[in-house]
Amino acid sequence: TGHIQDGAITDAKISDVSMAKVTGLAEAIEAIPAGPEGPMGPAGPQGPQGVAGADGVDGAIGPQGPAGPQGATGPAGPQGPPAVYGNVTVVALSGGEYANPVDAVADLANWCGTPSADNPCLIDIKPGLYNTGTLGLVLPANVDLKGSGERSTILEGQRPFSHDFYDSSGMVEVINSEISDLTIRCLGNYLSSPRQYITALRSWNEAGSLTLRNVTVSVIGLESDPVGRYVTGIRSIYSDTKLENVTVFSTNNTTGTTRYNHAVSVQNNNRVALKNLRITSDSTNPGYQGSLIGINLYDNTAAPGNLKIEDVDITADAALSVVLLGPDLYVNDMTTWGTHGISGAVYPGSNIHVNNSDLSSLYLYYGGNGYMSNSRIRGTIDKGDGTTSGPIILKCNNLIDSVYDPVICPQ
């Protein structure tokens, strides 16, 4: 009828239903197939976090990522102590062990002991201008100087005080030393003691040697020095001499007659090697009366092969002046500017060999031999026919003159 009538179900009627009927009803309900699943209801609120579980096993290390940008430079740390080397001292205007090479030499015993071939000493001079004072710089044997460059390290002064009028000592004195990478500048005599010689650097020792590498030497004889006659840049006497990559400026402005200006003077030496030199010997005094010599080789008795000049450029009135008493002199790649290219005495038994050179002139005499090859001679060739000492024997090969015409060697 669409609805249960009131009173149709009573407690008595319910209690009268058997369990079999109930059981069958349950089974019948279970047998009814489930209907389709309804839509999911909205998520409920999140519950409280549970207790953390135990850590799992570490995974493998992944690849390294790219480097990050460099951080800012940190502040500089404190300066450490200067390096200290055996047998070496440092001269510097500040921060060195000495402020002047003269002081370093005076205190030699404290930093090097007694110099010898087995105990050589080195003075390392940092950039700066150092005045050598009135006593000059005197290097004992086996003490070397090394600067920081010809433009950076400059030794300057006057030829030192001396009571000997004829003393030819230099502003720098060498016995058996090597000097490199600096400039030596001599500004005339110490005027309270004028004398005949004004020398920038001198070596005088029969058992010694002089070696210069990458050095500039300049010397000037002042008009205010009326006594000075001999102005010399480098003067080497008796010492074996090796000059390489050296520039020399020698200027004699002293007044009076019979003046001498030698940029390089080498006398009585057993071994001479001059390579890559640039030499100027001049005077800016219009009244100067004297010689202007680039290289003066005098009384040298070197064994064959031990007297060599190579790659040299000389500006001087007399570029190369020689007195050869027995050795062979080899000249290669020399250029001269001035009146006289090569001039002087070649004694019997001596030979001069000139090759690949450009000379302003040639004037030799005294009976020795001259061999000229592959060279240009822009001026005269004089083998000494008109001299009382007699001519040399001259042999030529492939010579040209100033306009590049062939030159016939005078016989």
Side-chain angles (χ1 to χ4, degrees):
T1 60
H3 65 274
I4 300 174
Q5 298 292 328
D6 292 340
I9 298 176
T10 64
D11 290 340
K13 290 179 181 181
I14 294 173
S15 63
D16 194 36
V17 179
S18 65
M19 284 302 298
K21 291 180 178 180
V22 173
T23 301
L25 179 59
E27 291 174 353
I29 294 172
E30 289 182 359
I32 299 171
E37 185 176 345
M40 182 182 292
Q46 182 172 335
Q49 182 174 344
V51 179
D55 292 342
V57 178
D58 290 343
I61 298 175
Q64 181 172 333
Q70 181 173 335
T73 303
Q79 183 175 350
V84 177
Y85 304 99
N87 291 39
V88 178
T89 193
V90 175
V91 172
L93 297 181
S94 63
E97 294 169 281
Y98 299 93
N100 194 297
V102 176
D103 300 330
V105 171
D107 201 34
L108 190 63
N110 285 329
W111 61 267
C112 191
T114 301
S116 67
D118 297 325
N119 188 52
C121 307
L122 173 64
I123 301 176
D124 184 0
I125 310 176
K126 299 305 179 184
L129 175 63
Y130 301 88
N131 194 294
T132 58
T134 60
L135 297 179
L137 177 62
V138 180
L139 294 180
N142 302 297
V143 177
D144 297 339
L145 292 182
K146 184 180 186 308
S148 300
E150 295 168 78
R151 297 176 60 184
S152 300
T153 301
I154 301 172
L155 308 183
E156 183 178 272
Q158 293 177 304
R159 187 179 177 281
F161 176 85
S162 172
H163 294 291
D164 182 356
F165 179 80
Y166 297 99
D167 177 23
S168 64
S169 61
M171 186 192 101
V172 177
E173 280 283 294
V174 173
I175 295 176
N176 187 16
S177 299
E178 178 175 324
I179 300 175
S180 63
D181 303 299
L182 52 76
T183 288
I184 296 171
R185 186 186 297 161
C186 179
L187 305 178
N189 268 328
Y190 180 63
L191 295 181
S192 66
S193 178
R195 75 224 84 164
Q196 293 201 70
Y197 291 90
I198 304 172
T199 306
L201 183 149
R202 185 187 74 159
S203 178
W204 189 329
N205 190 283
E206 293 185 19
S209 66
L210 169 66
T211 299
L212 301 183
R213 288 189 176 91
N214 306 320
V215 171
T216 295
V217 176
S218 67
V219 61
I220 183 169
L222 304 175
E223 290 184 52
S224 57
D225 187 351
V227 179
R229 294 177 60 196
Y230 301 90
V231 175
T232 307
I234 300 171
R235 182 179 178 87
S236 180
I237 304 173
Y238 300 117
S239 305
D240 287 348
T241 303
K242 183 176 183 179
L243 310 182
E244 186 172 350
N245 301 330
V246 173
T247 300
V248 184
F249 300 97
S250 182
T251 301
N252 192 342
N253 289 335
T254 60
T255 57
T257 59
T258 319
R259 308 284 109 173
Y260 300 92
N261 191 48
H262 297 162
V264 177
S265 181
V266 181
Q267 299 176 237
N268 304 99
N269 292 42
N270 293 320
R271 188 186 303 270
V272 178
L274 311 180
K275 184 176 182 180
N276 194 13
L277 271 59
R278 302 295 175 262
I279 293 174
T280 301
S281 176
D282 64 9
S283 175
T284 59
N285 179 3
Y288 177 76
Q289 302 178 54
S291 62
L292 299 170
I293 298 174
I295 300 176
N296 179 43
L297 295 179
Y298 184 76
D299 282 359
N300 289 283
T301 56
N306 286 337
L307 196 58
K308 299 178 180 180
I309 298 175
E310 181 179 357
D311 189 13
V312 175
D313 190 295
I314 305 175
T315 300
D317 182 58
L320 173 61
S321 176
V322 299
V323 175
L324 303 178
L325 300 179
D328 281 23
L329 169 61
Y330 295 86
V331 178
N332 194 49
D333 290 321
M334 183 170 78
T335 301
T336 68
W337 306 99
T339 304
H340 304 290
I342 301 177
S343 58
V346 181
Y347 279 72
S350 298
N351 303 288
I352 180 169
H353 307 260
V354 180
N355 186 47
N356 292 331
S357 295
D358 190 342
L359 308 179
S360 42
S361 68
L362 181 70
Y363 172 49
L364 298 171
Y365 55 91
Y366 228 112
N369 299 293
Y371 301 91
M372 310 290 296
S373 62
N374 305 316
S375 297
R376 182 168 75 141
I377 301 179
R378 303 186 303 275
T380 59
I381 299 177
D382 189 337
K383 62 187 185 69
D385 290 312
T387 62
T388 57
S389 54
I392 66 167
I393 299 172
L394 190 61
K395 298 181 179 181
C396 305
N397 177 47
N398 194 24
L399 297 187
I400 57 177
D401 61 16
S402 59
V403 294
Y404 300 96
D405 288 334
V407 170
I408 298 175
C409 200
Q411 300 299 318

